[in-house]
Amino acid sequence: MSDINTLTSALQQAGMRITPQRVAICELLTDVHDHPTAAMIYDDLKPRFASLSLATVYNTLDALVQLGVVNALGHAGDDTVHYDADTEPHVNLACISCCKIIDIESEHVAHLDAEITTASGYKLLGARVLYYGLCPQCQKKQAGTTARKK
């Protein structure tokens, strides 16, 4: 998991000013585990920073992704990009019904990185493994809905 210093240092090295708003974006990314969207970050921080713009959130996130310290996971059935400050090898599971994304640790992902590096000669800078499906809660909801229809 990237920490606040890693994120802010990366922004600084990219020539971006380290404003209180950008620090707050970095803090939120490192403190949460629910893979927020840009809109979620904006909604969470706007009450604290009246001058915060959605463009600042997007520009900061784009820079962090380009610098390799945050992953953009793509959408989880909600047509919105979710972000993850945990760039260590792991699996993300996305529910296409409630759009929740969780992390699953897997030793196989680390082995896959080594295999790919050996086979390709690439210096890997990061990877994403994202599975889509239905979480246990949404499966129960669907089973309840199906049972009532019969």
Side-chain angles (χ1 to χ4, degrees):
M1 171 74 97
S2 294
D3 62 22
I4 184 72
N5 291 331
T6 301
L7 299 186
T8 55
S9 294
L11 290 175
Q12 198 166 31
Q13 289 173 359
M16 297 180 84
R17 287 187 326 120
I18 305 305
T19 63
Q21 292 89 340
R22 287 193 176 117
V23 170
I25 292 166
C26 293
E27 285 174 344
L28 190 144
L29 285 168
T30 58
D31 289 346
V32 300
H33 299 285
D34 62 353
H35 308 84
T37 65
M40 294 164 97
I41 294 169
Y42 175 79
D43 290 343
D44 191 89
L45 298 178
K46 184 64 175 172
R48 288 179 34 208
F49 300 96
S51 64
L52 180 68
S53 71
L54 193 52
T56 296
V57 175
Y58 274 111
N59 290 337
T60 302
L61 291 170
D62 286 345
L64 292 169
V65 169
Q66 291 298 318
L67 295 164
V69 294
V70 169
N71 287 330
L73 299 179
H75 69 88
D78 57 359
D79 293 325
T80 307
V81 176
H82 291 254
Y83 296 90
D84 189 356
D86 185 355
T87 56
E88 293 299 313
H90 68 280
V91 175
N92 292 116
L93 296 172
C95 179
I96 61 169
S97 181
C98 68
C99 304
K100 179 180 177 181
I101 301 174
I102 63 169
D103 293 336
I104 300 291
E105 299 303 320
S106 171
E107 65 185 55
H108 301 290
V109 176
H111 294 299
L112 185 59
D113 282 1
E115 179 183 334
I116 290 170
T117 298
T118 301
S120 68
Y122 273 64
K123 175 185 176 190
L124 297 180
L125 301 175
R128 283 191 303 247
V129 179
L130 179 59
Y131 285 91
Y132 295 94
L134 290 171
C135 70
Q137 294 82 9
C138 290
Q139 290 176 57
K140 287 177 188 174
K141 286 179 192 174
Q142 283 189 353
T145 302
T146 304
R148 283 185 290 219
K149 288 182 180 179
K150 290 183 179 181

